[in-house]
Amino acid sequence: MEENLRALLTAVREGSLDVEEALRRLGEAGFVELGFACLDTGRAERRGFPEVIFCPGKTPDQVAELFSRLAVSNPNLLATRATRRVYRAVQQAVPEAEYSPTARLAYLWRERPVQPRGMVLVVSAGTADLPVAEEAALTAEVMGSRVERLYDVGVAGLHRLLGRLDRLRQARVLVVVAGMEGALASVVGGLVARPVIAVPTSVGYGASFRGLAALLTMLNSCAAGVAVVNIDNGFGAGYLASLINRLGD
Amino acid sequence: MEENLRALLTAVREGSLDVEEALRRLGEAGFVELGFACLDTGRAERRGFPEVIFCPGKTPDQVAELFSRLAVSNPNLLATRATRRVYRAVQQAVPEAEYSPTARLAYLWRERPVQPRGMVLVVSAGTADLPVAEEAALTAEVMGSRVERLYDVGVAGLHRLLGRLDRLRQARVLVVVAGMEGALASVVGGLVARPVIAVPTSVGYGASFRGLAALLTMLNSCAAGVAVVNIDNGFGAGYLASLINRLGD
Amino acid sequence: MEENLRALLTAVREGSLDVEEALRRLGEAGFVELGFACLDTGRAERRGFPEVIFCPGKTPDQVAELFSRLAVSNPNLLATRATRRVYRAVQQAVPEAEYSPTARLAYLWRERPVQPRGMVLVVSAGTADLPVAEEAALTAEVMGSRVERLYDVGVAGLHRLLGRLDRLRQARVLVVVAGMEGALASVVGGLVARPVIAVPTSVGYGASFRGLAALLTMLNSCAAGVAVVNIDNGFGAGYLASLINRLGD
Amino acid sequence: MEENLRALLTAVREGSLDVEEALRRLGEAGFVELGFACLDTGRAERRGFPEVIFCPGKTPDQVAELFSRLAVSNPNLLATRATRRVYRAVQQAVPEAEYSPTARLAYLWRERPVQPRGMVLVVSAGTADLPVAEEAALTAEVMGSRVERLYDVGVAGLHRLLGRLDRLRQARVLVVVAGMEGALASVVGGLVARPVIAVPTSVGYGASFRGLAALLTMLNSCAAGVAVVNIDNGFGAGYLASLINRLGD
Amino acid sequence: MEENLRALLTAVREGSLDVEEALRRLGEAGFVELGFACLDTGRAERRGFPEVIFCPGKTPDQVAELFSRLAVSNPNLLATRATRRVYRAVQQAVPEAEYSPTARLAYLWRERPVQPRGMVLVVSAGTADLPVAEEAALTAEVMGSRVERLYDVGVAGLHRLLGRLDRLRQARVLVVVAGMEGALASVVGGLVARPVIAVPTSVGYGASFRGLAALLTMLNSCAAGVAVVNIDNGFGAGYLASLINRLGD
Amino acid sequence: MEENLRALLTAVREGSLDVEEALRRLGEAGFVELGFACLDTGRAERRGFPEVIFCPGKTPDQVAELFSRLAVSNPNLLATRATRRVYRAVQQAVPEAEYSPTARLAYLWRERPVQPRGMVLVVSAGTADLPVAEEAALTAEVMGSRVERLYDVGVAGLHRLLGRLDRLRQARVLVVVAGMEGALASVVGGLVARPVIAVPTSVGYGASFRGLAALLTMLNSCAAGVAVVNIDNGFGAGYLASLINRLGD
Amino acid sequence: MEENLRALLTAVREGSLDVEEALRRLGEAGFVELGFACLDTGRAERRGFPEVIFCPGKTPDQVAELFSRLAVSNPNLLATRATRRVYRAVQQAVPEAEYSPTARLAYLWRERPVQPRGMVLVVSAGTADLPVAEEAALTAEVMGSRVERLYDVGVAGLHRLLGRLDRLRQARVLVVVAGMEGALASVVGGLVARPVIAVPTSVGYGASFRGLAALLTMLNSCAAGVAVVNIDNGFGAGYLASLINRLGD
Amino acid sequence: MEENLRALLTAVREGSLDVEEALRRLGEAGFVELGFACLDTGRAERRGFPEVIFCPGKTPDQVAELFSRLAVSNPNLLATRATRRVYRAVQQAVPEAEYSPTARLAYLWRERPVQPRGMVLVVSAGTADLPVAEEAALTAEVMGSRVERLYDVGVAGLHRLLGRLDRLRQARVLVVVAGMEGALASVVGGLVARPVIAVPTSVGYGASFRGLAALLTMLNSCAAGVAVVNIDNGFGAGYLASLINRLGD
């Protein structure tokens, strides 16, 4: 944006652009808009993060078009909650695009960090939490993090978790995915000195109220250092974990 | 009751009681009522359990009167949610009566089991859960159980709990008292092979919604063998724990 | 675990393992893990309880594999919320496996107690509560309890319940299954001196809010000695009832 | 209203009022208003019911003024949720006014039916429900019903209720007042063939959520013939019970 | 019951019944049970009300069997929430049985009152409330009430309602059926001096939360004389209306 | 109505109708009804607004009949939540009728304002909010407003919104449609000096609870000048926006 | 803002400001900020609306300081939810400031419109809704609207409302304030062709849940043309009503 | 722990401790406990983080004792939700202790980082959110972070926020504190490429439901990179922000 502004101001200075015309351009396009659009364009560059397409409510063709446009200037790319049908449209437009049916992610992963140092550990309580956990893990990977997975370590069998304390403590940031009563987040939070992103899932029966029980559990965690994202929002957790992880590189 | 009925019918048969008088007796008391009252009277005898007075909504004098009436035929007695003012009225009527300001219980504890074998273990997460935990513990004690206490062992510092696995496993029945996210019930439930009675407390901030978060957590526990009583209902948990504990004697 | 530890310490003592290596092994494997895994293995032996497979979120093949592995060393076995399709996979792997479509349980029941003394009574309010009641009853049976059933005795026709007071009072522990307003748990709780496990069901219309009404009713029961499990959680109730029932044997 | 209309029409007929002016007056004053105000005035006469003053949000003086105005033409009168301070103001204005601190009612009861035939039975579960039960009972009495009270017959001690089946069945309409789990309404509803008005109270602890649990219980009653009024709304129940009761006279 | 008791006691007194046999009779059947079963048998006779079969959770054959059994001794009969498939099974067993697909009722209506005097008026707000309104209306009719219908008179067009004030006031009891914001119950309640049974329906969008909005509206009605049944519970309203209506005959 | 009244009064004046008969007629027919029905007929004329048919719960034929009747005297017409099947029935009856599958509106748009001055701006946050936004926009258009659309300007990319400040400020009234967290309403409300109608949509995942999150956000907006309609109620917002917009013409 | 921009650009053109400096100024101050602050300053001028101080969470002195600063350039001014203590501080700083204890508003009202044409009608259901209704009315007045009040016209006595149809229809915009079941908004909405702003109040008992019942009622209003503000938010309703009302001038 | 283990193993190796005795010691003390307690002691050292005392439910003396014990080995220390009375007790025991009445923190801050590079920016929406914002800011400071504050920048006046984009983007991690509708978190999240910790506050009126509205808003944020802590949990946010911030040093 600064460049655009400089060019415009220079043209005014040099007399190749008169004040009223400059004013009109700024007004027409919207100065603010120009500014933010500029930042927007610059965002992927500075962050090294791909733009993310949220698929629900878009047709396969719309997703494919957005995907192929973004693919021009972004090595990595994510489309979340993608059905297989959406993926087929994407793939036709961008043959390199990959797909994880478990994580419901269509993605482009052309650029991988040579040597990422920090590790994001995705921990999940039960097998039914897998789709959400994978969405978190793959999101973080495509965004450049090294990710490890520690699945099916719910608190009903605490030894499975306690037996991997080392791995828990090697992580730079942890994503904890759990449904039902969601107690895993508190237990993990009490064992490590790193940020924990908790993801409640809608897995559960009766009074789990589609994830509300796990959500409340996690928000009320007695262990400090835990924050929560929306129910089933694996993408949000993976995205945030990656933002945090890169701070350490 | 069958004996009472037989005696009454025999007296009718033998002519020592005429039909109208028999009818009147049954009618006066209410046949069903008599029957149930009979069970009621017999309940304390057979169970060895005191009747329980629920204080809120009763005047100190009313509580004292009920207390002193019941004290005639019951060695042990409980009045729950008793204020100190209620206790003073009770004490005047029944000088032996004792009081725990923490558990808010006024009680009579004249008969203690010589050698109770099973042990009820009351486990609590934090210091703020103490009143509820003590209500559970003292209730179970006055009802004849041997009780041990394991307080302040919340999951944020898991080692405090894991360091007492032996005691956890020596219990015949466990009462787990926790507020905030209430995860302790699931963790304890996963460590023992005994019934666990979970008591959510209203301790917590913000989205604990006065115990709702802990309640939902406990209802959704991924560990089998856990059942839940009402928020802050230490009495109910201690009562049930004692019912269960005596099955093993 | 004790054996493992003894072996390790003995090796240290005998000099075949030096201190640093012993330290490394303990650290590497995770001492805790060793310990808990040991307990885990020992659990079925000491408890005489089968491991329980929760089917939702697992493929028929995954359930069948878990089932057949566990079948090697466990005479009895439970897989809950099993569809008929899951059962067919299980049956192919373990031909002795049985199935209850009502209770949605696939199970192995090779070992039955010769003479169980205590009785678990499963009481239900209406015909629509049957699946949950049967899940509770069959769970308790496979876990070694003698179970009796008292179905369709909702409080709208109280005489059906009052006419079976004897059976109610012969039970060592009772499971009460009810939807709609769930009042049955309070009524039964007021009639017996035994532990009552209440199971709210999602049966009901309008303001039952999928079991929430019955759940709240049961949690607020004015009868002491009642605890509650999750909505529709017949398995949890049967499991806990069996834990309690065996205390009396 | 009829008189107003007749006067107006007569004036038109007699030529003292022309059509356009009549039309204007009807339009200006609002015919409807005239009509309804008329009905309003006639309401007490035809119904024999006093107007009811809802005290909260009004000053003692305002209540006293309304009370004394209405006292001119109404033998009986009710002011609900009246504090003692409100009553003192009322009493100064209308010395005959009476007060029930339990029911929080200030009332005028100058006219009592010589021989009311139907009976309204107010049934309550516990002592803490007394204020609401008394509000219902006294409301029905002042509105001309014969009222009987059956208090403290909660379902935890079912024999107290079953022992009074006769009285239950003599009632023409029943008001059932209960807090906690509110199961009494279903049980009573299953025992009688008369309309049952259920009043949930805010009495309870923890997950009673200030009467919500009892409200849901009563709305989901498995016994037909039960309808529900607002939490703690004894007045509403007594009012409706009296409307129903008079249908039978 | 008193007569039964007197007969039994007299027989004991006269020696025609010995004590053990009397005891057995009382014990075997359960005295209470005998009493209640007796009432149960007598209920239809004394009330003139058919037993009601709740279809959900029962197979068509089960409903048909219950229906045909009850049809032997009851002229009128109701089966609620009956699908067409259920009806076909019922019809095969009891050819006289009729069916209303709108009200989802299968019914037998062989006996109609010659001259019912009171009238039940069923008022509904919109066309989408029709199934619930018809369930209420037909229930009351089959139970012997004269029923009139006033449909589609929601408060958005108040004149439709105000234009039928006469009919509103001719009713002995009113059933008001409304979804969305459910304001109709308050408006009707303010216009009549008769009992109003309000039925919230699940009709509505967004923040109607499946009838919760209408339910709360009706419970908080500022008009006295209104009570509420469960969401969509037309049957319950019709049943209660009929109980009330017959008080006036 | 005025005509009816005048005729009646004139007849009284002329002596062709006597006072008692006039009184009877007014009473019989219900004066109020006459009056309001009259107003009803006059409504469309005075407002220039078409009557609106709410399709759900009506058959295609019913909608078509209502539509064709209203089409006789109304140039413009709306039928909301119309399926394509409903539209086909409407179209057969009224060939000019148009249809928007996105907005789910069947409509007649024969009369368009020559030069509407004010502009209604419909702003939406994301593509999934489109159906609700279009329902609002088309409703306002058919009701005579000039409408502009500003879609997909959610707060996650604020520059898209800030770049169009001019258009935001040219609007006379704004409709803001947003799901998820619904923050757009507050942001827009803070930027303009015009009325803002906020429409929460049920778009969202997990803890959006089908629009509840957005609804609460909008109700709690820190920007003054914002009011809210029901979840997904685009029609209601467009209708209100048009009422407001015409005030300025 | 445009002027600032023009000045800056002109300075660049004229050479009195070089490109880098211009760039720095834009960057330093934040162009956007400059722009918006400009708008902010200009807001009162263009709108003729005073800035509004929200008192809770501010000390009396802080409010007084903000008030006196704003009083310099604004003829009219509002401070909402002001306690009497806050007002005294304000009054000391700005002696002309007035206070309404009912509406809890401290205000400055130096400039009144000579001849406002449109009228805002504030309608309230009961006396307890007065504070909220007055907050709405006074807010609209201080913001320049002509306001009329129609209080205590709840739907339980519909004739009070129907008798004032003329006044209802003379309003350009209506604010409807109601607690309890909040039905008044729907009824008023059905009677007028003008925008209706509904304000639910927290007035009510039991299941009104502090205004939730009225809020839901109003959101689900079957009458089109109604929008809702937050519970008890009289200020918000008066503010919006005034924005709407001025469109017509 | 490692040292303890090494000592024990060495003793075994050297023969000064035999295997059975070593086994007993490990068993007696609880191996796990030893292990975790060790970690516990080491935690502050490795993390450089003080232990945190949660004051509610503890007496001033208890807090003071814990504080003074921890003060021996920790340079920095936090006690949250401390009243002034608690602080006085703490100060007597540890004169260096400081106190922030706004943040309700008693703290010891003897060790400050010489040159912390990363910056935690605490952003708040309104003045009423100050206590929570200060709790977050001071927590992060005492834990070693450089903290900047950006208060009172709610979205109703967006320019206040947009004018400080530079500061927003200089932060390494942001804490966003907001009540009411909580939209600030989404807006900030859309402007930066850093982790955002959102803290809903209970500030608000009516339908904010004590922070629930803001909580749901933040959980549903359409901006990726945002996670949420409990309502009013400033401490939790500051703690987590500090954990994240130190990753970048």
Side-chain angles (χ1 to χ4, degrees), chain E residues 63-209:
Chain E
V63 174
E65 191 186 322
L66 287 168
F67 203 97
S68 57
R69 282 192 180 214
L70 286 164
V72 175
S73 51
N74 290 288
N76 293 2
L77 209 50
L78 276 170
T80 64
R81 305 280 158 119
T83 58
R84 199 174 281 278
R85 205 169 133 251
V86 160
Y87 170 60
R88 278 194 293 266
V90 166
Q91 200 187 17
Q92 219 157 26
V94 184
E96 291 158 290
E98 299 176 67
Y99 184 62
S100 161
T102 306
R104 289 158 301 171
L105 288 172
Y107 57 99
L108 200 55
W109 195 3
R110 295 185 286 206
E111 191 177 284
R112 303 188 182 207
V114 185
Q115 205 173 31
R117 277 166 310 185
M119 184 260 282
V120 172
L121 184 67
V122 179
V123 185
S124 79
T127 49
D129 302 318
L130 203 74
V132 178
E134 268 304 298
E135 190 185 29
L138 198 46
T139 293
E141 284 178 329
V142 174
M143 290 172 82
S145 287
R146 179 160 65 88
V147 173
E148 296 192 13
R149 289 152 171 89
L150 189 53
Y151 290 171
D152 202 18
V153 293
V155 300
L158 209 52
H159 57 289
R160 293 172 298 184
L161 186 70
L162 297 175
R164 276 81 157 235
L165 270 179
D166 280 358
R167 278 178 75 197
L168 283 179
R169 289 179 178 149
Q170 283 156 7
R172 192 182 274 162
V173 50
L174 301 96
V175 173
V176 178
V177 180
M180 299 186 119
E181 94 283 57
L184 186 60
S186 292
V187 170
V188 169
L191 293 173
V192 299
R194 298 299 194 179
V196 174
I197 312 302
V199 194
T201 72
S202 55
V203 170
Y205 296 83
S208 77
F209 297 123

Side-chain angles (χ1 to χ4, degrees), chain H residues 10-23:
Chain H
T10 306
V12 169
R13 180 60 172 263
E14 292 172 351
S16 65
L17 189 68
D18 70 16
V19 169
E20 291 310 308
E21 175 63 15
L23 212 51

Side-chain angles (χ1 to χ4, degrees), chain A residues 206-223:
Chain A
S208 78
F209 297 124
R210 305 183 161 234
L212 179 61
L215 171 63
L216 291 180
T217 301
M218 288 166 168
L219 282 169
N220 286 285
S221 176
C222 57

